[in-house]
Amino acid sequence: MNNRDIIRRLETEHDLSREEAVFLLNTLGDKDEKLLADAARKTALDQFGNKIYIRGLIEISSYCKNDCYYCGIRRSNRNAVRYRLSEEQILSCCEQGYALGFRTFVLQGGEDGYFTDDRVCAIVRAIKARYPDCAVTLSLGERGEQSFRRLYEAGADRYLLRHETADRTHYEKLHPPQMRFDNRMENLRLLKSIGFQTGAGFMVGSPYQTTENLADDLLFIKAFQPQMCGIGPFVPHKDTDYRDCPHGSLRMTLILLSVIRLMNPNILLPATTALGTIDKNGRELGILHGANVVMPNLSPQEHRADYSLYDNKISTGEEAAESVALLAEKLKAIGYEIAVGRGDYQDNTN
Ligand code: 5AD
C-alpha cells in the first residue's frame, strides 16, 4: 500500500477501503498531504467552480435535555447561561440575514422541550412566507419520525444531525446511556427518507477516538450519502470532564475534509466554526482543502457568547454574519466568491 496510489484511486474512483483509510491517516507525509489537498480542491472547483455557499446560523436555544459529555451546553452544566429566542427575534435575525445576502437560514439549538412541533412549525411557516426564495435548515437534535414529518410539511428543507461517531463503542464513551447510537442512526435515516436534504458529521480528535473510528466515519458518510457533512475539531469546554483533553488537530481535520471531498465529489462540506476557532485561518484553509460552505453566525449579538459548545468559540469577529463583506474579501484573496442563492445540493450522479 502507498499513499500516492490511494490518493490516485480517491481521485478517479472516489473510493477508499477501511484499510486504506487507516493507512493514509496514519502515515500521510507532508508531500502527499499537498497532493491530497490539491486533488480535493480541484474536485471542489470542478463541482462548484470558485463559489462558496453561505448559510446564516441562528442559535435559537441553549437549553438542552441531553448530557453529551463533550458539550458545553449539556444539561448538567450549571454554569451555562441559558436563553431561547422568540419567534420575533428569530424573524429579525432572518431579516438582517436576508439583507446581507443570506438565502439559507439554519435554526440550531439544544434539544429544548419549549420548541414543540407547533412552535417550530409556526416559525418555519413564518420564515417561508416572508422569504419564499430561502431554504430553512433545522438542527434541533433527535425528534423522531412524527416530528420530522410535521417539520418537513411545514416547509423545512434541510436538517443537520451529526452522527458524532460511527463507532457504537466510541459513541457510548462520549454520551450517557440515555443517548442511544441506534436512535441517532435511525433518526438520520428517517430524515433522509422523509425527504430532507440531510447533514451528518463528526468531531475530529474527540476523546478516545482512534484512526479506525475515523475510517469508519469516512465509510459511513460514503454509504449513507448525506447531502452535507459537517466536521470540525473537538474543542474542550472548561465545564466538562474533557476540559483537559487536547483539541483535535488542524492538520487531521484538513486531511479529512480533503478525503471526504474526494470520496463524495458533490457533497456540501462546510469549513466549520470549530475549525475557525482553533486557527485564525481555519476556514480559508478548509476551503483550500475542499470545503465549499461557510456558516456565519446570525444570532443576536447579546446571546452569542452563551451558545458555548466549546471554549473560545469565535463569536464576535470575522465569522459573524455582519462581516459578510470581510468574508467576501478573504475569500477573494484565495480566489473564491460567495455564491448567490440557496445553494441546494445538486444530485449529479446520473
Ligand atoms: N467541540 C467541538 N464540537 C462540539 N460540538 C459539541 N460540543 C463540541 C465540542 N466540545 C458539536 C457537535 C454537535 C454540534 C452542534 O457541535 O458535533 O453536533
Side-chain angles (χ1 to χ4, degrees), residues 140-277:
L140 302 171
E142 299 173 23
R143 299 175 67 99
E145 180 167 8
Q146 288 324 309
S147 175
F148 290 153
R149 284 198 188 284
R150 288 196 56 194
L151 299 172
Y152 189 73
E153 281 156 20
D157 303 275
R158 311 179 184 147
Y159 203 103
L160 310 179
L161 181 70
R162 289 189 177 178
H163 65 283
E164 311 296 357
T165 170
D167 181 272
R168 178 188 303 276
T169 309
H170 185 218
Y171 189 92
E172 289 170 358
K173 288 184 179 155
L174 297 177
H175 301 94
Q178 294 81 356
M179 291 195 73
R180 315 291 304 172
F181 177 74
D182 290 333
N183 285 350
R184 195 73 170 183
M185 290 300 186
E186 178 59 15
N187 272 267
L188 269 168
R189 278 188 285 273
L190 282 167
L191 288 165
K192 232 185 142 198
S193 74
I194 289 167
F196 283 104
Q197 294 176 47
T198 303
F202 55 97
M203 290 179 288
V204 179
S206 58
Y208 310 107
Q209 186 178 61
T210 64
T211 309
E212 286 74 16
N213 295 155
L214 287 171
D216 287 337
D217 287 320
L218 293 172
L219 298 194
F220 169 72
I221 293 298
K222 180 74 182 176
F224 182 64
Q225 290 279 296
Q227 282 78 20
M228 177 180 266
C229 178
I231 74 163
F234 160 77
V235 183
H237 188 287
K238 60 179 177 6
D239 296 323
T240 66
D241 288 346
Y242 297 149
R243 66 181 65 83
D244 295 322
C245 294
H247 67 69
S249 88
L250 175 68
R251 179 174 183 272
M252 186 54 76
T253 307
L254 295 173
I255 291 170
L256 287 159
L257 283 172
S258 294
V259 175
I260 294 168
R261 168 60 63 216
L262 289 168
M263 291 177 80
N264 313 274
N266 61 343
I267 201 168
L268 296 164
L269 193 58
T272 55
T273 308
L275 187 57
T277 295

Side-chain angles (χ1 to χ4, degrees), residues 87-101:
E87 179 171 329
E88 292 66 39
Q89 284 175 304
I90 294 168
L91 288 169
S92 139
C93 293
C94 295
E95 188 180 342
Q96 291 173 39
Y98 193 88
L100 289 164

